[in-house]
Amino acid sequence: MLDKGYINHQGITTITITINPQTKQIETFTRLKMAGSQALVMAVLVMGIAFHSTLIDATIAKSMYFNWGAHHSSILGNGDDLRLVLDQTSGSGIQSKRAFLFGSIEMLIKLVPGNSAGTVTAYYLSSTGAKHDEIDFEFLGNSTGEPYTIHTNIYTQGQGNKEQQFKLWFDPTSGYHNYTIHWNPTQVVWYVDSVPIRVFRNYESEGIAYPNQQGMRVYSSLWNADNWATRGGLVKIDWTSAPFVASYRRFRARACKWNGPVSISLCAIPTPGNWWMSPVYKRLSNGQQGQLKWVRDNYMIYNYCTDFKRFKGQIPPECSKPQF
């Protein structure tokens, strides 16, 4: 038997993890403070020798399903190639079967080529409800020869308005590129081909909301947004270029599976299985900070933190904090 993982955080007084070497079961006993008394909660999780098995080898077909426009979509090859389609009748979308709390969510995407003005390809994490959390990549199409805009945002407890936008240093329609959302209790990082373009750090202790209490599913969709996507809606979709196709490969969710509120503590325990809790993922390295600065100096085109007119001089509090 192996016991480890004693912490004191947010009302949790003791967490004891026991790994049975014969059954390969993890038995987790969590003692919580509840209105001045204590309650013992036991969760028995059968998943080998790690907290939460990951989906490293899972295909798109096994991990996701179409939630709208299925007649427009297709999963090809060995189940790991996806096509989302938009025409005048409908767009299309897909979502993960499971929700997650912390980890790394990645997808290879080739965006709509040619004249994609008015289209949006969205790739994001989201919980449900009015006070949902959400972490967004949105790719705003443009006229032929013009660069795509990457629109990023994060919602905490239903509140967004944290947009940052970037151009890309390559043509995202000529081949597949890796778009990854890395999320742990310390920070959220948006990566493009392993280059960090944005960081949102946890300053919850200073009254700034952070997404760490709700499991989120993975979504992607291709849809008509020509009322706002290209030059604020001035450029409409040219339907003679339809159908518009976004292509995907190799969805990977190396992440903690959401199993209800108990996951809030289980997914945040620093164990080898919870690799995202390793100190190396608590802050960008010096090299990564250099990459982040390069992107933001050369390719950022909008930052809500500098939009004084929009916020009438009351810039959101996280904007005054280090975000790297």
Side-chain angles (χ1 to χ4, degrees):
M1 298 295 221
L2 173 63
D3 291 341
K4 59 181 178 178
Y6 297 89
I7 64 173
N8 190 336
H9 179 63
Q10 294 182 343
I12 301 168
T13 56
T14 306
I15 293 180
T16 304
I17 304 106
T18 302
I19 302 176
N20 188 318
Q22 295 178 333
T23 65
K24 301 300 184 183
Q25 290 185 352
I26 294 177
E27 298 172 353
T28 304
F29 298 86
T30 306
R31 189 175 297 278
L32 306 171
K33 292 179 181 176
M34 297 179 63
S37 63
Q38 291 188 333
L40 185 64
V41 180
M42 182 182 76
V44 180
L45 307 176
V46 183
M47 13 181 130
I49 58 173
F51 268 132
H52 298 267
S53 60
T54 58
L55 300 180
I56 294 174
D57 298 319
T59 63
I60 291 174
K62 291 180 180 178
S63 304
M64 310 190 82
Y65 66 92
F66 298 114
N67 56 4
W68 66 292
H71 65 288
H72 265 7
S73 309
S74 57
I75 295 177
L76 308 171
N78 63 354
D80 220 12
D81 284 88
L82 167 70
R83 302 290 183 272
L84 294 183
V85 179
L86 166 67
D87 65 18
Q88 284 180 288
T89 65
S90 177
S92 51
I94 199 166
Q95 74 176 69
S96 65
K97 296 176 182 177
R98 281 192 168 272
F100 306 95
L101 182 68
F102 307 140
S104 185
I105 309 296
E106 62 180 279
M107 185 86 83
L108 298 181
I109 305 175
K110 181 166 65 173
L111 298 177
V112 175
N115 186 357
S116 59
T119 71
V120 168
T121 304
Y123 166 57
Y124 60 103
L125 304 176
S126 183
S127 59
T128 58
K131 297 198 174 202
H132 73 291
D133 293 336
E134 184 173 321
I135 305 169
D136 296 341
F137 271 112
E138 288 185 302
F139 306 95
L140 313 186
N142 220 324
S143 303
T144 302
E146 296 296 322
Y148 262 81
T149 295
I150 293 186
H151 178 96
T152 67
N153 200 359
I154 184 167
Y155 286 73
T156 54
Q157 295 294 305
Q159 298 297 315
N161 300 322
K162 300 176 178 65
E163 302 91 344
Q164 293 183 355
Q165 294 184 342
F166 307 83
K167 297 300 185 184
L168 286 168
W169 51 96
F170 55 85
D171 179 0
T173 72
S174 63
Y176 290 88
H177 293 269
N178 186 306
Y179 302 93
T180 295
I181 295 168
H182 181 83
W183 167 40
N184 64 26
T186 303
Q187 62 182 2
V188 177
V189 186
W190 291 252
Y191 288 94
V192 177
D193 288 337
S194 299
V195 175
I197 67 169
R198 180 178 182 178
V199 178
F200 185 83
R201 291 192 62 80
N202 185 347
Y203 289 104
E204 196 172 34
S205 63
E206 301 182 41
I208 299 169
Y210 186 80
N212 57 10
Q213 303 290 309
Q214 303 183 71
M216 294 196 273
R217 295 182 188 271
V218 185
Y219 298 85
S220 192
S221 58
L222 175 58
W223 50 289
N224 175 2
D226 69 2
N227 62 325
W228 68 274
T230 306
R231 294 182 58 201
L234 294 177
V235 183
K236 303 299 183 182
I237 288 180
D238 178 4
W239 291 110
T240 64
S241 299
F244 303 97
V245 179
S247 303
Y248 300 74
R249 286 181 181 168
R250 212 187 70 172
F251 167 66
R252 296 294 181 265
R254 298 183 298 117
C256 197
K257 294 177 181 177
W258 173 255
N259 289 300
V262 69
S263 295
I264 296 171
S265 57
L266 292 182
C267 295
I269 299 172
T271 67
N274 289 353
W275 60 268
W276 49 87
M277 296 298 298
S278 171
V280 71
Y281 296 108
K282 288 187 175 181
R283 185 176 293 274
L284 297 186
S285 68
N286 290 337
Q288 289 173 322
Q289 290 181 39
Q291 291 177 317
L292 180 72
K293 185 178 186 304
W294 173 75
V295 171
R296 298 174 77 81
D297 286 349
N298 293 282
Y299 297 100
M300 175 178 272
I301 58 173
Y302 176 79
N303 183 1
Y304 77 108
C305 284
T306 60
D307 196 339
F308 296 94
K309 181 178 180 181
R310 174 185 178 184
F311 295 103
K312 298 180 173 58
Q314 299 296 315
I315 295 299
E318 66 271 11
C319 293
S320 64
K321 309 293 183 184
Q323 295 289 342
F324 52 82

